[in-house]
């Protein structure tokens, strides 16, 4: 067997390795450098998200009509650009 010194080393590792890891990974510098960017990538700040969602049927219909008008305008612009490219008269 390994003897008393090996057992003391193993017991020290069993006790102090988790404490050391807990201490290191809970430092504010480590958190701000490694965890915060990943957290903000997954959960963006509320200020950058769309918080103006419609709650009533009328608001939903108005928003849908607005989006359809925007898509129709973009489609007309693309059609006009493609027509200009095809006829270089």
């Amino acid at each position: 067997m390994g003897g008393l010194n090996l057992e003391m080393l193993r017991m020290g590792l069993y006790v102090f390795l988790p404490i050391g890891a807990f201490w290191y990974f809970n430092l504010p510098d480590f958190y701000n450098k490694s965890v915060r960017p990943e957290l903000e990538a997954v959960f963006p700040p509320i200020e950058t998200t769309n918080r103006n969602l419609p709650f009533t049927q009328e608001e939903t219909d108005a928003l849908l009509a607005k989006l359809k008008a925007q898509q129709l305008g973009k489609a007309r612009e693309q059609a006009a650009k493609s027509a200009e490219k095809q006829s270089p008269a």
Side-chain angles (χ1 to χ4, degrees):
M1 288 286 174
L4 182 61
N5 287 337
L6 182 60
E7 291 300 321
M8 289 177 61
L9 176 67
R10 286 176 55 197
M11 189 63 184
L13 284 175
Y14 292 158
V15 170
F16 291 110
L17 187 66
I19 292 172
F22 185 76
W23 174 77
Y24 176 73
F25 289 113
N26 283 321
L27 290 174
D29 292 334
F30 177 81
Y31 183 81
N32 289 333
K33 182 178 67 172
S34 301
V35 177
R36 179 73 62 170
E38 297 296 325
L39 187 66
E40 289 178 356
V42 174
F43 302 106
I46 292 177
E47 295 81 27
T48 61
T49 59
N50 185 5
R51 303 298 285 182
N52 300 326
L53 300 175
F55 289 107
T56 64
Q57 185 66 36
E58 292 80 21
E59 292 174 353
T60 305
D61 291 340
L63 182 61
L64 185 61
K66 177 182 164 186
L67 291 174
K68 284 183 179 180
Q70 287 177 354
Q71 287 179 349
L72 184 61
K74 287 180 184 178
R76 287 181 180 163
E77 288 177 10
Q78 288 178 355
K81 286 181 184 178
S82 64
E84 289 175 1
K85 288 181 183 177
Q86 290 178 356
S87 60

